[in-house]
Amino acid sequence: NELQDKGGEYGSKQMPSKNTFKVEKNKLVGQVQNQKSIEFDYDGNDKFVYEAAGLELQFSKDKKTMTLSQSGQTFDFTKE
């Protein structure tokens, strides 16, 4: 399943924290270390959004990298 492929831990040289993603009830759920989990909505073309915080996740086609965008800033993550 394409959603399952996006699960795992992602780290970034731009941010010290790791992001963990898993699939729950056919939704992508993300968590940054000890913070509350967030359910992301699928927006098409390997992109997921969490509108309440203006977060966008864009996964690469090879599923090895992900770009997080928020408030005009972008952060590149690599699956570990």
Side-chain angles (χ1 to χ4, degrees), residues 52-69:
L55 285 171
E56 284 186 8
L57 306 175
Q58 180 66 57
F59 288 86
S60 64
K61 293 290 179 198
D62 66 8
K63 299 168 184 63
K64 294 180 182 173
T65 61
M66 178 267 296
T67 301
L68 181 151
S69 303

Side-chain angles (χ1 to χ4, degrees), residues 1-7 22-28 42 46 48 63 79:
N1 158 325
E2 190 174 322
L3 195 56
Q4 288 292 132
D5 293 341
K6 292 169 180 57
K22 57 188 170 186
V23 177
E24 292 180 358
K25 298 178 186 165
N26 215 28
K27 286 263 196 178
L28 185 68
Y42 185 60
D46 294 313
F48 293 80
K63 299 168 184 63
K79 192 169 187 177

Side-chain angles (χ1 to χ4, degrees), residues 24-77:
E24 292 180 358
K25 298 178 186 165
N26 215 28
K27 286 263 196 178
L28 185 68
V29 177
Q31 185 172 22
V32 179
Q33 292 193 330
N34 297 322
Q35 295 183 19
K36 186 180 171 206
S37 295
I38 296 171
E39 272 191 10
F40 289 87
D41 295 314
Y42 185 60
D43 198 38
N45 294 322
D46 294 313
K47 184 166 106 176
F48 293 80
V49 296
Y50 179 64
E51 302 237 352
L55 285 171
E56 284 186 8
L57 306 175
Q58 180 66 57
F59 288 86
S60 64
K61 293 290 179 198
D62 66 8
K63 299 168 184 63
K64 294 180 182 173
T65 61
M66 178 267 296
T67 301
L68 181 151
S69 303
Q70 184 179 30
S71 304
Q73 292 185 298
T74 59
F75 303 92
D76 297 318
F77 287 82

